[in-house]
Amino acid sequence: MRRLLSFHALLVYLFLYLPILVVVALSFNESRRGVHFTGFTLKWYQGLFQDPRVLEYFANTLVVALVSTLVSTVLGTLLALGLVRYRFPGKGFLRYLLYVPVVVPDVVMGVSLLLLFAFSRELLGFPRLSLLTVILGHITFQVAFVTLVVRSRLLLLDPALEEAARDLGARGFQTFLHVTLPLAWPGVAAGALLALTLSLDDFVVTFFTAGPGATTLPLYIYSSVKLGVSPKVHALSSLIVGLSAFFLALG
């Protein structure tokens, strides 16, 4: 039975990761077309860093990921602290509401955000689709992931440590800054890196919320595939996978 389960697990991992490994391998292929490996080369990676469009889209991707991660980490940490340390009406409903961005399909969330921004533009004069709307769209689902990770960390902390700090004269902000935040920092860092990884990989929400001049690397890959898959696309995909894996492993 153990060997059967191990073989089953191996098949599952191959099904999940073998396509990614194939893409990475083809990014070093000398041949421009086909899947036949004709030689090892780095020219496709060199071409990426010499393409001004790719550099622009890479900058957009980093701006969206870093800004949305910073905002969602702050909001998610404060929300997690409020859910764990305080009592207020609707707390249970809000706790379950956090799972909505996690379980709702990305297409539904993308269409909902697009309609929200369209109505906001007509009624409130909200700016047209741009990097700002992409950042706001990413924050909507990043906050939920950060909150869930930080909340799980806060639930493991002993409230007596915070009570001891207050007994010694520390005010609320001092207690949070010198006691709660250092103890919860592993959860905060893990939540931030998870949010950063999700932002780097996101395509669907970005597709619905991006406007002119707000193209990111996933959108560029999607548009490039329509014209045919080339090793340059393989190289760009491999860089995104490597960057996401790095932050995920760091987290």
Side-chain angles (χ1 to χ4, degrees):
M1 178 61 69
R2 179 176 299 179
R3 292 182 178 180
L4 180 61
L5 292 176
S6 300
F7 180 71
H8 177 266
L10 178 62
L11 292 179
V12 171
Y13 280 111
L14 287 177
F15 177 77
L16 293 175
Y17 295 108
L18 186 59
I20 299 177
L21 296 178
V22 171
V23 170
V24 175
L26 291 178
S27 67
F28 299 102
N29 190 8
E30 180 74 25
S31 176
R32 177 179 292 271
R33 301 296 179 186
V35 296
H36 299 289
F37 198 87
T38 59
F40 181 86
T41 182
L42 294 176
K43 65 180 181 180
W44 309 117
Y45 289 92
Q46 296 173 355
L48 289 178
F49 294 104
Q50 296 173 357
D51 190 338
R53 293 184 306 167
V54 173
L55 296 178
E56 178 186 355
Y57 302 153
F58 180 70
N60 290 341
T61 304
L62 284 184
V63 169
V64 172
L66 294 177
V67 175
S68 61
T69 298
L70 177 62
V71 176
S72 61
T73 300
V74 174
L75 296 178
T77 301
L78 295 178
L79 180 57
L81 183 65
L83 290 174
V84 174
R85 292 290 185 263
Y86 301 96
R87 296 181 180 179
F88 51 88
K91 176 180 176 180
F93 175 74
L94 181 60
R95 186 172 66 249
Y96 288 109
L97 198 63
L98 283 173
Y99 292 94
V100 173
V102 179
V103 300
V104 168
D106 291 342
V107 174
V108 175
M109 179 171 290
V111 173
S112 302
L113 290 171
L114 177 60
L115 294 176
L116 173 63
F117 293 144
F119 284 124
S120 299
R121 182 183 177 187
E122 294 181 0
L123 299 178
L124 305 176
F126 194 83
R128 64 180 61 191
L129 298 180
S130 61
L131 277 182
L132 176 60
T133 55
V134 176
I135 292 173
L136 294 177
H138 284 206
I139 292 174
T140 55
F141 64 82
Q142 286 176 310
V143 168
F145 286 94
V146 174
T147 303
L148 292 174
V149 174
V150 177
R151 178 177 175 270
S152 63
R153 173 67 180 179
L154 291 174
L155 291 174
L156 300 176
L157 302 183
D158 188 0
L161 298 175
E162 298 176 353
E163 296 176 359
R166 287 192 292 266
D167 291 340
L168 294 174
R171 298 180 179 179
F173 181 74
Q174 291 176 323
T175 301
F176 171 76
L177 186 62
H178 297 288
V179 178
T180 307
L181 185 58
L183 293 175
W185 179 249
V188 175
L193 291 173
L194 177 60
L196 181 63
T197 303
L198 292 173
S199 178
L200 291 174
D201 291 342
D202 181 76
F203 167 77
V204 178
V205 174
T206 306
F207 180 80
F208 284 99
T209 57
T215 303
T216 60
L217 289 181
L219 296 182
Y220 173 70
I221 293 176
Y222 174 74
S223 61
S224 299
V225 169
K226 292 182 178 180
L227 303 177
V229 181
S230 67
K232 190 175 181 180
V233 175
H234 295 323
L236 187 56
S237 302
S238 300
L239 288 178
I240 295 179
V241 171
L243 193 61
S244 301
F246 169 77
F247 286 116
L248 189 61
L250 189 63

